Amino acid sequence: MIDKLEMLLALASERHFGRAAEVVGVTQQSFSAGIKQLEDRLGVLLVQRGSRFQGFTAEGEKALEWARRIVGDSRAMRQEVRRLSRGLAGHLRIAAIPTALPVIASLTTPFHARHPGVRFTIRSTTSAEILSLLANLEADIGLTYLDNEPLGRVTALPLYRESYRLITAAEAPLGRRDAVTWAEAAEVPLCLLTPDMQNRRIIDAHLRAAGTAPATALESNSMIVLMTHVRTGRWASILPTVLAELLGLTGHLRAIPITAPEVSHAIGLVALQRDPALPLVSAFVAEAREAALGFSGGEEVPV
C-alpha cells in the first residue's frame, strides 16, 4: 500500500504517467497497474483518464491528503528506527529561493560534520514552488521569505533579514555614491530576477512605492546569469547584501546600500507542521536555530 501511495504522490507532482513512473523507478505499464490496484483496493476511481493524465477525481484529491499523511508517517518511522541503530542518517532535500543559496553551506556543513551519514539535495526554485514541494513531500526543508506572502501550514524559523544593495560599476553615474535611493536605483539599466521570483516582486514593490518603475534591461531566473552580467561592469542590479558579499566584487564594482527607505525582509526555514516530525528535519531545524543566533549577533530575528 505504501508503494502505491508513493505512486499517487509522484503522479500529483509530475501530472504525467510516464514521468511519474520514472520518478518511482518502474515502467509506465507497472505504474498504471499500481494506480489501478490502489483504486480497486479503495473501491473508487482516483484518476480522470483519457489519452493522457487529466487530473484527480474528488475521491482522488481526498486520497492524496491521506497519502501525504501516511507516506510522511512511514518515512518518519523508518528514520526513527534506523537512528536507534545507525545514528542519524538518510537523505535531506532542501528547496531554497535563489537569493538565499549563499547561506546554505553555513547550515549543511556543520550538520554534515555532526551527522556524516546524511546526504543532501539542494534545489533552487521559487517561493511558491517551495511550498508545493513541501506539501507533496518532495522537499523536507524550505529556505524562503517569511513575511511577504502567505506561507500556509508550515513551521517557520527566522534566520536573518535580507537587505538590498545596488551593484554597479565605480565609473557609472551612481558608482561613487555612499548610498542611493530606490528612485535613483530605478533610473539605471537593471538586470533582475524574473517576475515569478518573490525577490523580483519585492524589488518592484519598493520601486513602485518610490514613485517609479525599474528600467529592467535583462531578466533571468539564474543568479549566475545576473552575476556574470554585473561583473562586466556594464550592468547594474539590485541584490541582497549577503549575495553581494558572495560576489567578491572586483575593484571596479561597488555594492551601494539602498536607502530612503531602508527595507528588509525575513528569510528563514520552513517545514511542514507534522507530528511526529521527521527526525532529520527536527535535527536540522535545531542546528539552524543555533546558526540563526550567529547570523543575527545572538538576537532573535523578527518576522
Side-chain angles (χ1 to χ4, degrees):
M1 175 66 78
I2 296 295
D3 291 343
K4 304 301 186 298
L5 295 178
E6 293 269 16
M7 290 180 178
L8 197 67
L9 292 180
L11 186 58
S13 172
E14 299 298 327
R15 317 293 290 184
H16 186 277
F17 281 99
R19 291 195 298 270
E22 291 179 4
V23 168
V24 298
V26 300
T27 65
Q28 186 169 340
Q29 183 178 5
S30 296
F31 185 90
S32 297
I35 295 294
K36 183 64 168 61
Q37 290 168 10
L38 181 61
E39 290 178 324
D40 291 342
R41 183 74 176 272
L42 297 176
V44 294
L45 188 67
L46 302 176
V47 179
Q48 297 174 358
R49 290 177 174 83
S51 57
R52 62 185 64 187
F53 175 78
Q54 296 179 347
F56 293 97
T57 63
E59 296 84 355
E61 294 290 350
K62 181 58 65 174
L64 269 175
E65 294 179 17
W66 281 99
R68 293 181 179 114
R69 187 180 310 174
I70 293 169
V71 170
D73 286 346
S74 173
R75 293 177 182 175
M77 180 190 70
R78 289 197 297 267
Q79 283 188 19
E80 186 65 32
V81 170
R82 290 171 182 167
R83 182 182 66 84
L84 295 175
S85 60
R86 309 177 194 174
L88 198 63
H91 183 197
L92 191 65
R93 302 160 301 168
I94 301 173
I97 54 173
T99 56
L101 292 175
V103 307
I104 292 182
S106 62
L107 302 175
T108 55
T109 301
F111 189 80
H112 188 260
R114 189 173 299 181
H115 307 290
V118 177
R119 63 186 180 93
F120 300 90
T121 295
I122 298 171
R123 178 173 177 177
S124 175
T125 187
T126 67
S127 56
E129 180 66 10
I130 287 172
L131 299 180
S132 176
L133 292 170
L134 289 173
N136 212 43
L137 305 185
E138 296 175 84
D140 305 303
I141 292 286
L143 190 56
T144 187
Y145 293 98
L146 301 184
D147 59 356
N148 196 54
E149 294 179 357
L151 293 174
R153 298 178 60 184
V154 299
T155 298
L157 171 67
L159 292 178
Y160 65 95
R161 295 197 67 85
E162 178 181 271
S163 57
Y164 306 94
R165 300 200 174 197
L166 177 71
I167 313 301
T168 187
E171 62 272 15
L174 301 176
R176 299 297 179 183
R177 299 279 294 277
D178 292 328
V180 298
T181 67
W182 285 93
E184 289 171 330
E187 296 174 357
V188 299
L190 294 172
C191 54
L192 300 172
L193 287 170
T194 49
D196 61 320
M197 298 290 181
Q198 193 172 165
N199 171 266
R200 172 64 183 280
R201 298 194 292 274
I202 287 172
I203 289 173
D204 283 353
H206 289 309
L207 292 171
R208 286 195 298 270
T212 186
T216 308
L218 182 146
E219 297 176 338
S220 176
N221 64 355
S222 168
M223 293 303 307
I224 293 177
V225 171
L226 300 188
M227 290 178 185
T228 53
H229 279 77
V230 168
R231 280 185 178 276
T232 67
R234 297 181 177 273
W235 303 78
S237 188
I238 297 174
L239 299 179
T241 301
V242 66
L243 197 55
E245 294 171 351
L246 177 70
L247 270 171
L249 300 179
T250 57
H252 72 290
L253 288 181
R254 297 195 63 218
I256 305 172
I258 304 177
T259 60
E262 292 187 11
V263 297
S264 65
H265 294 272
I267 304 290
L269 291 187
V270 292
L272 284 183
Q273 292 179 356
R274 56 171 300 110
D275 186 19
L278 288 171
L280 273 178
V281 171
S282 296
F284 192 80
V285 170
E287 186 85 34
R289 186 171 284 110
E290 294 181 15
L293 297 178
F295 292 147
S296 59
E299 299 180 357
E300 184 178 349
V301 178
V303 176

